[in-house]
Amino acid sequence: MRRPGQRHIVQQALCLGVLLGLSAHPLLPGTRTKCVVLVTGDGIRWQEVFRGADPNLLHSDDHGMKEAAEVRQKFGGSSREERRERLMPFLWTVVARQGVIVGDRDRNQIVRLQNRYRFSYPGYSELLTGRPQDDVVNSNANRPNPSETVLEIVRRELRLPRDKVAVFASWEVFHGIAAHSPGSIFVNAGYDALDSPPTPRSRELSQAQFQLLTPWRSVRHDYITFELAMEHLRSKLPRLLYVALGETDDWAHQDRYDRYLEALHYFDHCLERLWKTLQSLPAYRGQTTLLIATDHGRGDNPSTWPRHGEKVPEAAFVWLAALGPDTPPGEPITTPIELTASDLAPTLLELLGMDSRRLLPQATGRPVELILRRRKTHSQDAR
Ligand SMILES: [Zn+2]
């Protein structure tokens, strides 16, 4: 794949890797990304991401909005641009301008799930394996993923210590989703004490999660998940960190639009803190890509918005965003575009300089050119 003239670049990358104490595995030429941080928010609709808070729900007396004048005030606005920027200021003022965000159905941008189920495990599995597996991934039961995930592939290929590929998730089922071989990567998910907290704050958060309970047995607070992930980031410097936040979906199922919006606003705040922290640390600055996604959409009107699944066709529409050194700053996308959730895993591998066709031979997704535009991807049919 590699041209002869590029050999010296490989050698330089290898030397730099050794100097930085990274794995001696040579990086393929063409990308500047050495680390990836993936963040997902469960069941975040493209409608809120691109249009902001839905006025029909926001100005209703139902959906938890009766006593939520403050939420109405905070996230209301006269245009979709104004509303979305109030709801997700970091996404719209930084990610959209310096990176890429795609999935605006009002502008003919489609990002679709390939799996038929449109609920969480199949959605995350599709993101992490590059394909739907409808015959075997068809429930939310906490079982190991039937296929190796991109997280496991990265650890194996880069020969990384276990802590260097880490998952922090609010939902306990990530113990199953994230890995085909339990224990192959670091996973802390749901109400889950840390065995050896790396910092005093980690120890405190690990204890506090059992005292600050959510209404749900299998989902802890996103705050705990995010703060634990930040402690791990600063103390262990992972090459691949996955932060899976979940409260958006749980509040939506309870038809609490007020709390859903607040959880979504918090999700945006987490992205901002993550990005600022990454840019403040020499191990990450200028060589880290942030990937942002969701596992499924939801219904598209005030009565169906709490739901998703096989009976809710609109839940198949999702969105993707990226910010990092290999992603060209977002010129507005003017031509119709069609991507799938399966594209995320091959894109992640190619960002790290790996050959996605070799490592994910069964993937139905392709590396996303919009996110990787500075280089030729390994796959000629990239999209
Ligand atoms: Zn979900």
Side-chain angles (χ1 to χ4, degrees):
M1 276 302 152
R2 132 194 353 149
R3 294 194 303 269
Q6 289 176 318
R7 179 166 303 154
H8 69 283
I9 302 176
V10 177
Q11 282 164 351
Q12 280 173 3
L14 181 59
C15 292
L16 188 64
V18 171
L19 278 175
L20 293 171
L22 302 170
S23 153
H25 184 92
L27 296 165
L28 289 174
T31 58
R32 289 164 62 197
T33 298
K34 286 208 190 65
C35 306
V36 170
V37 178
L38 168 62
V39 185
T40 56
D42 202 298
I44 295 176
R45 300 198 302 174
W46 70 269
Q47 288 91 332
E48 275 75 28
V49 172
F50 293 95
R51 297 172 176 168
D54 180 342
N56 289 324
L57 288 159
L58 201 63
H59 298 289
S60 161
D61 271 345
D62 303 320
H63 317 290
M65 292 303 299
K66 199 176 168 68
E67 289 164 12
E70 194 189 312
V71 174
R72 212 169 278 136
Q73 173 84 26
K74 204 163 145 193
F75 301 127
S78 54
S79 68
R80 59 181 236 142
E81 286 77 17
E82 187 185 345
R83 289 191 305 271
R84 73 189 186 189
E85 212 169 295
R86 285 189 172 182
L87 185 60
M88 305 189 80
F90 179 74
L91 191 77
W92 286 104
T93 58
V94 178
V95 179
R97 289 177 196 167
Q98 297 174 22
V100 161
I101 170 154
V102 59
D104 186 352
R105 286 186 70 199
D106 296 331
R107 301 285 185 274
N108 285 319
Q109 304 165 11
I110 304 293
V111 185
R112 198 191 297 268
L113 295 179
Q114 289 189 328
N115 80 77
R116 59 183 276 203
Y117 299 110
R118 304 169 197 136
F119 59 79
S120 299
Y121 194 132
Y124 292 117
S125 179
E126 185 177 337
L127 289 169
L128 296 176
T129 63
R131 65 189 169 119
Q133 303 173 81
D134 284 353
D135 47 339
V136 283
V137 176
N138 50 21
S139 91
N140 276 343
N142 195 350
R143 287 192 294 250
N145 201 306
S147 295
E148 191 180 35
T149 68
V150 73
L151 309 168
E152 295 175 290
I153 293 172
V154 167
R155 184 189 168 203
R156 173 166 50 76
E157 286 296 305
L158 298 181
R159 295 178 211 142
L160 297 169
R162 190 162 162 275
D163 286 351
K164 293 281 184 180
V165 176
V167 179
F168 287 86
S170 295
W171 188 34
E172 68 183 13
V173 179
F174 273 90
H175 280 288
I177 299 170
H180 175 63
S181 309
S184 58
I185 53 172
F186 178 92
V187 181
N188 179 272
Y191 290 96
D192 188 2
L194 283 177
D195 289 336
S196 39
T199 67
R201 177 148 166 80
S202 297
R203 176 168 296 120
E204 205 178 292
L205 289 160
S206 180
Q207 288 164 356
Q209 68 182 312
F210 301 103
Q211 289 151 3
L212 294 162
L213 303 176
T214 63
W216 317 290
R217 297 213 72 85
S218 66
V219 184
R220 71 178 167 197
H221 280 298
D222 285 343
Y223 177 85
I224 298 283
T225 301
F226 180 71
E227 296 294 328
L228 284 174
M230 293 296 280
E231 290 303 296
H232 188 91
L233 180 80
R234 280 187 286 249
S235 59
K236 305 280 186 180
L237 303 175
R239 290 285 292 279
L240 175 52
L241 174 67
Y242 177 18
V243 185
L245 302 181
E247 282 184 68
T248 39
D249 186 70
D250 298 284
W251 287 119
H253 279 296
Q254 295 192 220
D255 198 14
R256 286 289 301 271
Y257 200 60
D258 57 334
R259 285 288 194 244
Y260 168 75
L261 292 178
E262 286 167 316
L264 189 44
H265 190 59
Y266 179 68
F267 177 83
D268 182 81
H269 169 78
C270 291
L271 297 176
E272 179 174 18
R273 271 202 41 216
L274 248 174
W275 188 246
K276 285 187 173 159
T277 302
L278 292 169
Q279 298 318 304
S280 75
L281 297 169
Y284 292 106
R285 187 186 310 128
Q287 48 188 2
T288 302
T289 294
L290 178 61
L291 292 173
I292 311 158
T294 189
D295 58 330
H296 52 77
R298 331 191 64 83
D300 70 349
N301 66 55
S303 66
T304 60
W305 90 274
R307 299 198 302 275
H308 57 91
E310 243 177 310
K311 293 189 183 132
V312 184
E314 314 88 65
F317 296 101
V318 291
W319 51 275
L320 270 179
L323 176 62
D326 296 303
T327 303
E331 304 120 36
I333 303 165
T334 48
T335 50
I337 189 163
E338 246 196 274
L339 302 173
T340 76
S342 296
D343 297 339
L344 184 104
T347 304
L348 192 156
L349 288 178
E350 299 274 338
L351 279 166
L352 287 167
M354 294 180 210
D355 183 348
S356 63
R357 278 197 305 192
R358 178 174 71 80
L359 296 168
L360 287 172
Q362 289 177 289
T364 50
R366 297 285 175 266
V368 178
E369 284 284 346
L370 276 172
I371 296 178
L372 277 159
R373 219 185 295 160
R374 276 191 199 146
R375 68 192 292 261
K376 280 214 174 324
T377 57
H378 296 283
S379 309
Q380 292 308 305
D381 52 350
R383 57 181 179 181

